[in-house]
Amino acid sequence: MGKHDRKIMPVKHLISFEKLLEKYDEHLKGDDPFLAATAERILSIEKGFPELRDGFSDFTLLEKNQDLINRILQDTFTEALSGNEIKVATLPYQDMIIKSSARFQKIIEEAGDDYVPELRNVGDDMDYIMSCVVVLNYYYGYHLDFSRPYFYDIPDANGVMRHYRILYNADFIDVIPTEKAKVITQEDVDELLASPYDIKLWMEKIPPESFISKGFVIANLFDVTMEQAISNIKSKLISKETIQPTNFMHDLQETFKSFFRLPNIKVGFTSFDAKKNEFEEVSGMGFESFLLRGQHHMNCKSALCEDSYDKLIDHNAYFTIADMDRKVEQSGNLQPYVGLKEQGIQSAIFAPIAYENNLLGVLEIVSEKKGVLNGVNAQKLDDVMPFIISAVVRTKNEENNRIDAIIQNECTSVHSSVYWRFQEEAKKFIIDETEGRSPSFKEIVFKDVYPLFGQIDIKDSSQARNLAIQRDLMIQLSEIDNVLNIALKKWELPIYEELIFRVNNHLESIKEMLYTNSEQAIFDFVHEEISPVFEHLKKFDKDIEKHILKYESKIDMGTGSYYDHRKNYDESVTLINKKLSSVIDKRQESAQAMFPHYYERYKTDGVEHNMYIGASISENQEYNSLYLNNLRLWQLQVMCEMENAHYTLKPKLPVPLDAASLILVYNTSLSIRFRMDEKQFDVDGTYNARYEVIKKRIDKSYIKGTDQRLTQTGVLSIVYSQKKDELEYLRYIKFLKSKGCFTNKIEIVELEGLQGVSGLKAIRAEILYKREQEPEKTYTYQDLMDALKE
């Protein structure tokens, strides 16, 4: 026995066998003696049980009268076919089982103990509305398409899910109105079709239990597991095969005509860009879009009214219009209704194509006839949307991959803050290519951006490197000298003496200072004259071989030289760069959240960074000079944090290298251009080039009238040229001093004129290091302003 849960429905179900028994009444009076005899046998059974004709809603009577009912339905469930036919006497769209064939019983038994079959695609509200549609068709005489298939999903003995499609035979059922039933006009039907999900409206027009369905239906089940499997395979194929634009649109139109059984419908599609909140045309696929009305793109707020926007964009739900004239009138000439009406559209379904709650586009199905597309037949789309979604997801992925490929090929990697601009250019590139024009990736320029530059440089790095090379070479030459002396003692050959003399000459030459060409000269001498002699000696004498092998074990395979002090130096530089880079990169995440800006960082002997901020870089946020002030304050704090990170790291380094910090303040906005040949951004124009000149030379600059370099260990140097900048940065330093970033030692110095650049000044602020490194707090420009008010 199935479930007997009672739901609120427009129809109250009475189980009755009256219409079947009336057939037997006719047979009894007929000329066929065989039929008359069968009729007499069956009609004799029902005597004394008037409820079998009058109908009953007490489902317990089913169990009480089971034998009786089985005998009445004996001909309907012919024993000869019972083993093969999958058949159930039931109530429409219910899981109630009155009688079933042997094959159906076997299927249920194999599904497992206590298995109760349930209809797929059933939801309470939709059940009510579908039941109303049945009433509108069978009682009121309307012709609404409600042929959405119903399925049972039942596992077989092996646990494999099998799918059965249900076809109902309604010969033995009547729909009878009660006193609650209302008169339904065409206007009521139009209103219902325009509001397919408004359950309250449907309940108002066709109230609960305003009709009685008296009788029963025969549900014939057909195993469609194979068709379902083919359909699943199709969906997989869709995701792998490439959609070809040639016949795709035509084929899709034809498919939908068959699907809706409507010859006069058209299909359109529009893509959705979430960042811009815009609908966009799909280029090169032959798609037209009825929402876009011939435009390439349109803001969704302009394309849709509040109601349609809410359904499509916010809730990813179907939006249907059954009567366009009515909608135009109701809305007060709003879009999309006016634009659709102008295109001759009278009814439409808009189906959002959404994947993982993200809207990708909208499928548009339109008709020139009123009412043929509506909220009821829109439900049919549920069964095909997965295929459409997978196809759209795939084409979106392919488009994104093409965009990425173009950007990668034309520009290499691009910072996230400006990626949107490259995407726009790549989209234009694809459209030009698709439409047969010769595509070119145009140069990308951001105008009116303010630059920020900072660096933490390893102090005297070339001296430290030279010292490391000098020490390694001296050890290597001493080791060579030892081996050659052992060889000379054994064999007293003049060649060994001559080589020892030359080794000592090289040693003497680098004792005081390493000259530029010394390293190469020694490397060539060892490679060309010492190594062949050592190879010969190794084969010649076992004792000397041990000494040579000991020497060779200390030689670095990559450089062919001693790599001990240099290794320590290189490791120290790597560790410093890694640590400082990780600090600024991590901090950048929060800075980008304040306002998007271009950021790039380089590792040299230390770490330097460039930032550019301005209205042109932001895709959709409004720029204000406050954001530049904020970024400048942020940069100061991060430079202090990087200095502190180095201060903590220095004692742990193989070579305790010092570092010095510098910031360049530039008050004029400039343009940056992406150089296609070098795959990077560069300042644009000769006037702006002055900024690059200053940037390259200031760390080598001296304080005016002295031989003292600007950059010093433990001091942050801030280079500027305008009095306005001086006052701004003194304010920042005073504020950060109160937060424990700087000491009281702050000086203003003038710089010696650089080649082609004069009038530069610098603030030098001594950094207050924290012995215990605490998590840094970033203070905003607003914090500064609040502090100044106090």
Side-chain angles (χ1 to χ4, degrees), residues 109-261:
E109 278 165 29
E110 285 182 353
D113 298 340
D114 306 322
Y115 180 82
V116 178
E118 285 184 37
L119 288 167
R120 193 207 302 173
N121 301 339
V122 166
D124 288 352
D125 284 1
M126 257 345 273
D127 271 4
Y128 193 97
I129 289 165
M130 282 310 202
S131 202
C132 287
V133 173
V134 172
V135 169
L136 287 170
N137 283 358
Y138 280 90
Y139 179 72
Y140 291 106
Y142 292 100
H143 300 289
L144 303 179
D145 179 4
F146 72 106
S147 59
R148 188 176 171 204
Y150 278 84
F151 295 90
Y152 276 131
D153 301 321
I154 305 172
D156 65 15
N158 301 317
V160 174
M161 192 61 76
R162 299 195 75 80
H163 310 287
Y164 300 90
R165 184 170 178 174
I166 302 159
L167 286 181
Y168 287 111
N169 176 342
D171 286 351
F172 308 114
I173 198 161
D174 254 342
V175 176
I176 305 159
T178 69
E179 68 282 353
K180 292 183 190 172
K182 296 183 176 182
V183 174
I184 299 281
T185 65
Q186 180 64 50
E187 203 174 312
D188 291 326
V189 174
D190 292 345
E191 199 179 335
L192 288 169
L193 292 179
S195 308
Y197 304 108
D198 188 348
I199 188 71
K200 284 184 184 163
L201 180 70
W202 286 79
M203 281 184 162
E204 182 199 313
K205 302 285 184 196
I206 304 172
E209 300 197 348
S210 56
F211 285 83
I212 289 168
S213 83
K214 186 179 172 190
F216 67 96
V217 291
I218 302 286
N220 290 288
L221 276 65
F222 300 92
D223 188 334
V224 291
T225 309
M226 184 57 73
E227 287 87 336
Q228 195 88 11
I230 291 165
S231 162
N232 291 342
I233 291 164
K234 260 190 203 164
S235 70
K236 285 186 176 69
L237 285 174
I238 280 172
S239 67
K240 285 182 182 166
E241 68 182 29
T242 307
I243 292 174
Q244 294 301 322
T246 41
N247 296 320
F248 180 73
M249 199 58 224
H250 175 264
D251 293 349
L252 194 74
Q253 301 266 20
E254 292 308 308
T255 307
F256 272 95
K257 283 175 185 176
S258 311
F259 184 69
F260 278 102
R261 294 191 296 199

Side-chain angles (χ1 to χ4, degrees), residues 430-620:
I430 289 171
I431 290 166
D432 284 351
E433 194 177 47
T434 310
E435 293 178 358
R437 294 188 291 273
S438 55
S440 66
F441 201 96
K442 292 178 182 63
E443 279 195 315
I444 286 169
V445 179
F446 292 101
K447 293 184 176 177
D448 286 331
V449 293
Y450 289 88
L452 294 95
F453 171 74
Q455 67 174 46
I456 293 191
D457 219 11
I458 291 167
K459 201 91 174 91
D460 304 323
S461 59
S462 51
Q463 281 171 259
R465 187 188 285 108
N466 283 348
L467 189 62
I469 295 167
Q470 183 186 14
R471 284 173 177 169
D472 280 344
L473 288 174
M474 287 177 77
I475 294 167
Q476 185 174 3
L477 289 167
S478 300
E479 291 280 336
I480 292 168
D481 187 60
N482 289 343
V483 174
L484 289 172
N485 273 301
I486 294 165
L488 183 63
K489 267 182 193 171
K490 279 200 170 194
W491 295 288
E492 294 183 0
L493 290 174
I495 187 69
Y496 298 136
E497 204 171 345
E498 194 265 343
L499 283 172
I500 290 165
F501 172 75
R502 286 168 69 192
V503 165
N504 284 312
N505 270 350
H506 280 301
L507 260 170
E508 282 299 317
S509 76
I510 61 168
K511 224 170 215 171
E512 298 305 320
M513 188 192 287
L514 183 73
Y515 293 98
T516 318
N517 61 341
S518 300
E519 185 183 358
Q520 190 61 44
I522 293 166
F523 176 80
D524 291 344
F525 166 66
V526 171
H527 182 68
E528 289 164 16
E529 305 200 35
I530 301 296
S531 295
V533 171
F534 280 10
E535 283 304 311
H536 164 73
L537 288 171
K538 272 197 296 188
K539 294 172 191 164
F540 195 66
D541 186 277
K542 287 284 173 196
D543 180 47
I544 206 161
E545 186 187 21
K546 285 178 197 169
H547 292 285
I548 293 169
L549 289 172
K550 188 183 169 191
Y551 156 78
E552 285 178 345
S553 67
K554 293 175 186 172
I555 297 286
D556 178 66
M557 295 301 287
T559 61
S561 307
Y562 255 50
Y563 187 62
D564 186 21
H565 290 86
R566 263 177 296 180
K567 186 182 177 192
N568 288 340
Y569 170 80
D570 288 345
E571 268 183 25
S572 300
V573 171
T574 303
L575 287 166
I576 291 168
N577 285 350
K578 196 175 171 186
K579 181 66 184 171
L580 298 183
S581 298
S582 73
V583 170
I584 192 165
D585 286 352
K586 191 169 185 306
R587 280 278 177 231
Q588 250 295 299
E589 291 169 20
S590 58
Q592 286 294 342
M594 295 172 195
F595 191 85
H597 57 278
Y598 184 77
Y599 162 76
E600 59 187 5
R601 167 190 51 71
Y602 302 104
K603 290 178 186 172
T604 51
D605 281 350
V607 172
E608 62 180 63
H609 64 270
N610 289 312
M611 294 185 290
Y612 299 98
I613 189 168
S616 60
I617 284 175
S618 164
E619 186 179 4
N620 43 29

Side-chain angles (χ1 to χ4, degrees), residues 321-494:
I321 304 160
D323 183 343
M324 196 64 68
D325 291 340
R326 186 173 172 182
K327 270 288 184 188
V328 169
E329 195 177 305
Q330 276 181 350
S331 69
N333 295 326
L334 281 180
Q335 294 296 7
Y337 315 112
V338 175
L340 293 168
K341 187 182 173 181
E342 282 167 4
Q343 295 171 74
I345 296 162
Q346 281 299 313
S347 62
I349 299 169
F350 297 101
I353 295 164
Y355 181 67
E356 294 179 345
N357 295 327
N358 295 318
L359 185 67
L360 305 174
V362 176
L363 178 70
E364 309 166 351
I365 301 154
V366 301
S367 170
E368 292 172 1
K369 286 194 175 179
K370 187 173 84 169
V372 299
L373 293 169
N374 52 65
V376 172
N377 59 11
Q379 299 307 305
K380 288 161 71 86
L381 284 173
D382 284 358
D383 301 315
V384 293
M385 285 311 278
F387 305 130
I388 295 166
I389 288 164
S390 66
V392 171
V393 167
R394 182 174 48 79
T395 47
K396 279 271 184 188
N397 288 341
E398 282 173 2
E399 185 190 18
N400 288 338
N401 291 343
R402 279 186 74 192
I403 287 170
D404 287 345
I406 289 166
I407 293 171
Q408 289 297 322
N409 186 44
E410 300 282 338
C411 324
T412 69
S413 59
V414 167
H415 188 249
S416 58
S417 62
V418 293
Y419 197 76
W420 64 274
R421 183 66 191 80
F422 286 81
Q423 281 180 310
E424 279 186 353
E425 205 52 56
K427 277 184 184 177
K428 287 179 192 166
F429 189 100
I430 289 171
I431 290 166
D432 284 351
E433 194 177 47
T434 310
E435 293 178 358
R437 294 188 291 273
S438 55
S440 66
F441 201 96
K442 292 178 182 63
E443 279 195 315
I444 286 169
V445 179
F446 292 101
K447 293 184 176 177
D448 286 331
V449 293
Y450 289 88
L452 294 95
F453 171 74
Q455 67 174 46
I456 293 191
D457 219 11
I458 291 167
K459 201 91 174 91
D460 304 323
S461 59
S462 51
Q463 281 171 259
R465 187 188 285 108
N466 283 348
L467 189 62
I469 295 167
Q470 183 186 14
R471 284 173 177 169
D472 280 344
L473 288 174
M474 287 177 77
I475 294 167
Q476 185 174 3
L477 289 167
S478 300
E479 291 280 336
I480 292 168
D481 187 60
N482 289 343
V483 174
L484 289 172
N485 273 301
I486 294 165
L488 183 63
K489 267 182 193 171
K490 279 200 170 194
W491 295 288
E492 294 183 0
L493 290 174

Side-chain angles (χ1 to χ4, degrees), residues 295-346:
Q295 296 190 39
H296 295 301
H297 53 84
M298 190 185 289
N299 187 284
C300 296
K301 295 274 187 188
S302 314
L304 302 172
C305 66
E306 203 170 322
D307 185 23
S308 51
Y309 186 97
D310 177 65
K311 279 197 176 136
L312 284 172
I313 313 288
D314 291 344
H315 292 102
N316 296 343
Y318 296 151
F319 180 68
T320 59
I321 304 160
D323 183 343
M324 196 64 68
D325 291 340
R326 186 173 172 182
K327 270 288 184 188
V328 169
E329 195 177 305
Q330 276 181 350
S331 69
N333 295 326
L334 281 180
Q335 294 296 7
Y337 315 112
V338 175
L340 293 168
K341 187 182 173 181
E342 282 167 4
Q343 295 171 74
I345 296 162
Q346 281 299 313

